Amino acid sequence: MMKADIPVIEALDLSKRFGSFTAVQDVSLQVEKGEFFGLLGPNGAGKTSIIRMMYGFSPLSSGNMKLFGLDIRTGWREIRSKIGVCQQENTLDPDLSVEKNLLVFAGYYKMSRKKAVRRTDELLDFFALNHKRQAQVSQLSGGMVRRLMLARTLINDPSLIILDEPTTGLDPQSRHQVWDKLRDLRSKGLTLVLTTHYMEEAASLCDRLIIMDRGRILVEGNPEELISKYAGASVVELENPGEDLKTFIREKQIRHEELMNRIIIYTDDSEGLGKAIRERFCPEKCLFRSGTLEDVFLRLTGRELRE
Amino acid sequence: MKRFDLSLLFLSVWKRNLIVYRRIWKVNFMVPLFEPLFYLAAFGIGLSGLIGDVVYAGQDLSYIQFIAPALLATSVMFNAFFETTFSSFVRMYYQKTFDAMLSTPLSLEEVITAEIVWGATMSMLAATIILFIISVLGFVVYPWGLLVIPLGFLGGLAFGSMGMFFTGIVPSINMFNLPMFLVVTPLFLFSGTFFPVSGLPFWGQYLAGISPLYHLVELTRLLTMGIMESSPFISIAYLTGFALVFYFLAIRAMRKRLIK
């Protein structure tokens, strides 16, 4: 049995190199039982590389990776029997029906026929796919494909699931439905690792997250902490700021970012600066909002395009 | 991860292919059933009038009787080769089926082994169907003829492994034309299939001896008609060795291709 004090995931000085290119460098992280953990970063930051090392698909270049206290190098088969992985691309089997996708996958886990059938029924119910049981994968909508991918991820009743961009390309309805299902699973004690490009998703689902760039971890913390530390409680956005405002900001040493013809001011409302700016510099075209994880992400990883 | 990791779990992948096959088995069945019939009609009936009898292993055989076992053997080759090239490539590259499998307790060796064994199963099935056809024509001596079925499996492992090796190295699916044209077609034509190798000059006989299909054709003639021109032990050893070498080459190529 797993002791409560063994972390579900323990990565130490993890590195992944492809020839002379370093995709992941000296990353250490730990995920506790029952935690929802987020991996954020721009394209090419090394998120998928870390995930592939987590489930023993990519060999580590250096460092250590343990899941449930087992070394991934030697215990990969046992580890994989206890986890579920939802890859970025659609890897459903297009040669099989919805139902058979789950039943056949159960076979890869040596599950008995009886248990596989029961589990398939439960999951088709849970993800509202019962009416599509006999359909071919090609007949499913994008949202249904994702739900079936998630159902398949859960077929072996895993205690950890690893999701690589689970809601990319979904409409808001489908996305919220996926979130609801994941929250439901959290209440049942599941541990989850997730990568995403949607900051709102990370903020609403993750207990703790890291933001990475160029193979390294930039920050780690829970979403609220990170927002208050790196973005501030409230944000003011202005178009075409005047010189007087810029001077004011510099004098008061307020955190801000100057973009092409826009300025973003991160304020901590305790000093009433937001109010001052509103009254003195904001006759029109001024947006007041609270700080978000997206502000944190963009401040830390910059705004230039990556690919 | 161990260098080589294989357990019986590979059967779950084999079963996956069986489930897919059963969905359209009626169509799948047609090819090995009708293809040899077309060949037998064209070559056996059409050409045998021009050719007359063929002397093979000291016996006079009608041309159709001569080529019937060879058509069985070539069908074994084509079935396994197609399965582990085009079909496996589609599963690997377009459908990402292997990627999904490699997130479960399956090892790479198990996935690849299952594909090759599945190809061999297709070969065995084709061998069985054609055995039935040429038995009806009276070209098979029983009970030895039944051994053609396991022989079809062995031949399938050899050509399936070779196909899987190409799947591990081709950059795109169109590139299979190259091994088809440079390997499979010459094997098909020059392995004692349509004319006896004993009639060739020495270098031709030598070249035929390297061909795995030649050995499969020889063994098929032995098991169906009781005669062959070479040694059955050498042929079995050659086919087994060929299968083993290409099996390990295929695993190595696929590891290099898939594991990043």
Side-chain angles (χ1 to χ4, degrees):
Chain A
M1 281 305 290
M2 194 175 61
K3 278 192 232 148
D5 54 357
I6 296 179
V8 175
I9 302 174
E10 205 178 2
L12 198 65
D13 298 328
L14 204 61
S15 294
K16 181 70 191 175
R17 289 178 286 274
F18 299 101
S20 60
F21 172 71
T22 304
V24 177
Q25 184 150 26
D26 299 322
V27 165
S28 296
L29 57 88
Q30 198 159 313
V31 179
E32 306 297 332
K33 190 174 187 310
E35 217 176 6
F36 272 30
F37 185 82
L39 276 169
L40 311 185
N43 285 335
K47 307 181 297 292
T48 300
S49 291
I50 290 182
I51 278 188
R52 285 184 175 166
M53 289 190 274
M54 253 174 208
Y55 68 89
F57 180 82
S58 298
L60 324 185
S61 298
S62 62
N64 269 303
M65 174 76 85
K66 280 185 177 178
L67 277 81
F68 313 105
L70 297 162
D71 192 312
I72 192 72
R73 290 184 181 94
T74 50
W76 65 272
R77 207 189 278 270
E78 191 182 343
I79 289 169
R80 282 198 206 158
S81 71
K82 292 179 176 180
I83 66 174
V85 180
C86 183
Q87 289 148 328
Q88 220 175 84
E89 310 97 345
N90 170 7
T91 59
L92 293 173
D93 203 324
D95 296 330
L96 298 169
S97 66
V98 167
E99 179 186 41
K100 282 268 164 35
N101 255 282
L102 299 179
L103 289 171
V104 167
F105 220 69
Y108 304 154
Y109 292 90
K110 275 195 221 168
M111 212 179 279
S112 70
R113 173 84 192 161
K114 203 175 137 196
K115 195 177 164 204
V117 169
R118 200 193 64 217
R119 197 69 194 140
T120 297
D121 289 345
E122 282 170 12
L123 288 167
L124 288 178
D125 252 0
F126 184 70
F127 285 102
L129 286 165
N130 238 327
H131 61 301
K132 291 285 177 186
R133 201 173 254 273
Q134 303 303 335
Q136 291 300 304
V137 170
S138 58
Q139 298 168 317
L140 301 181
S141 68
M144 288 194 276
V145 163
R146 269 292 134 183
R147 266 144 56 204
L148 184 56
M149 286 277 286
L150 285 170
R152 198 182 65 175
T153 303
L154 294 165
I155 192 76
N156 57 327
D157 209 354
S159 38
L160 162 71
I161 58 172
I162 299 174
L163 312 179
D164 199 357
E165 297 188 22
T167 62
T168 298
L170 294 189
D171 64 15
Q173 284 81 2
S174 306
R175 184 176 306 154
H176 280 273
Q177 195 179 25
V178 166
W179 292 351
D180 285 344
K181 293 299 175 195
L182 292 178
R183 285 193 196 100
D184 198 350
L185 292 168
R186 188 213 312 255
S187 66
K188 290 167 187 155
L190 192 78
T191 311
L192 176 143
V193 171
L194 159 109
T195 77
T196 179
H197 283 310
Y198 299 110
M199 297 303 127
E200 194 198 345
E201 177 165 290
S204 89
L205 286 177
C206 295
D207 303 308
R208 203 155 56 83
L209 55 89
I210 57 174
I211 298 179
M212 346 181 15
D213 199 8
R214 300 176 210 282
R216 293 170 181 278
I217 296 180
L218 300 176
V219 288
E220 178 184 340
N222 74 46
E224 297 78 34
E225 272 170 19
L226 292 174
I227 291 168
S228 72
K229 189 165 171 197
Y230 293 96
S234 71
V235 176
V236 189
E237 283 188 46
L238 282 96
E239 273 179 41
N240 303 317
E243 277 310 312
D244 49 345
L245 172 63
K246 288 183 186 173
T247 319
F248 174 80
I249 289 169
R250 275 184 216 120
E251 273 169 11
K252 297 267 179 192
Q253 292 185 325
I254 306 171
R255 284 187 302 185
H256 67 282
E257 267 186 280
E258 282 186 54
L259 306 178
M260 273 251 271
N261 38 27
R262 214 151 55 95
I263 191 163
I264 302 177
I265 307 160
Y266 304 101
T267 66
D268 205 338
D269 237 6
S270 57
E271 296 161 46
L273 282 171
K275 192 162 172 271
I277 293 167
R278 184 197 308 254
E279 283 166 358
R280 289 177 54 184
F281 305 102
C282 262
E284 55 191 301
K285 281 201 172 176
C286 207
L287 176 69
F288 290 83
R289 58 176 176 82
S290 33
T292 64
L293 199 55
E294 190 134 345
D295 294 318
V296 179
F297 186 88
L298 288 171
R299 283 203 68 198
L300 292 171
T301 60
R303 287 176 185 268
E304 75 274 22
L305 290 176
R306 294 314 168 95
E307 286 174 332
Chain B
M1 224 177 272
K2 273 196 287 178
R3 266 327 272 174
F4 193 82
D5 215 319
L6 183 64
S7 77
L8 283 179
L9 197 55
F10 85 86
L11 289 172
S12 64
V13 178
W14 181 88
K15 211 171 134 194
R16 177 252 169 228
N17 289 341
L18 180 69
I19 290 169
V20 175
Y21 178 85
R22 277 199 312 217
R23 224 164 48 87
I24 44 168
W25 71 273
K26 281 175 197 142
V27 181
N28 287 328
F29 231 66
M30 303 277 239
V31 180
L33 188 66
F34 285 102
E35 205 183 44
L37 280 177
F38 293 156
Y39 273 106
L40 285 172
F43 289 90
I45 301 165
L47 269 181
S48 65
L50 296 170
I51 293 167
D53 283 358
V54 177
V55 180
Y56 175 79
Q59 290 196 27
D60 279 343
L61 301 174
S62 70
Y63 189 61
I64 188 165
Q65 194 177 5
F66 174 73
I67 62 164
L71 288 173
L72 189 150
T74 56
S75 196
V76 163
M77 171 176 78
F78 280 122
N79 271 278
F81 191 80
F82 268 100
E83 195 60 39
T84 57
T85 50
F86 293 101
S87 304
S88 292
F89 194 89
V90 167
R91 287 193 276 274
M92 170 189 77
Y93 188 83
Y94 295 102
Q95 304 186 351
K96 314 260 175 229
T97 311
F98 297 177
D99 287 343
M101 287 170 179
L102 292 176
S103 72
T104 73
L106 283 162
S107 71
L108 178 90
E109 288 83 357
E110 281 150 6
V111 174
I112 303 308
T113 304
E115 292 283 302
I116 293 171
V117 171
W118 174 250
T121 310
M122 291 290 89
S123 292
M124 189 169 74
L125 194 66
T128 311
I129 295 168
I130 301 167
L131 184 69
F132 171 76
I133 295 171
I134 62 175
S135 299
V136 172
L137 296 174
F139 298 151
V140 185
V141 182
Y142 283 99
W144 291 108
L146 285 175
L147 285 177
V148 164
I149 297 168
L151 178 67
F153 189 76
L154 174 64
L157 289 178
F159 292 107
S161 297
M162 183 175 83
M164 190 49 95
F165 167 69
F166 287 123
T167 298
I169 59 172
V170 291
S172 74
I173 197 163
N174 306 317
M175 294 291 277
F176 282 130
N177 291 332
L178 220 54
M180 279 303 287
F181 165 69
L182 291 176
V183 181
V184 175
T185 306
L187 289 184
F188 176 61
L189 294 172
F190 301 110
S191 296
T193 33
F194 298 108
F195 48 85
V197 165
S198 55
L200 292 175
F202 175 74
W203 59 267
Q205 294 192 23
Y206 178 77
L207 277 181
I210 330 177
S211 155
L213 184 61
Y214 167 74
H215 295 282
L216 187 63
V217 168
E218 282 290 290
L219 288 167
T220 312
R221 290 216 172 96
L222 176 71
L223 293 177
T224 52
M225 305 188 295
I227 50 171
M228 77 189 294
E229 288 186 338
S230 52
S231 150
F233 300 105
I234 290 176
S235 290
I236 287 176
Y238 188 84
L239 271 182
T240 311
F242 186 91
L244 276 172
V245 167
F246 273 94
Y247 173 70
F248 286 106
L249 286 177
I251 298 271
R252 207 176 69 164
M254 291 304 280
R255 175 180 294 283
K256 216 168 151 191
R257 170 161 211 148
L258 290 177
I259 305 295
K260 287 171 195 108

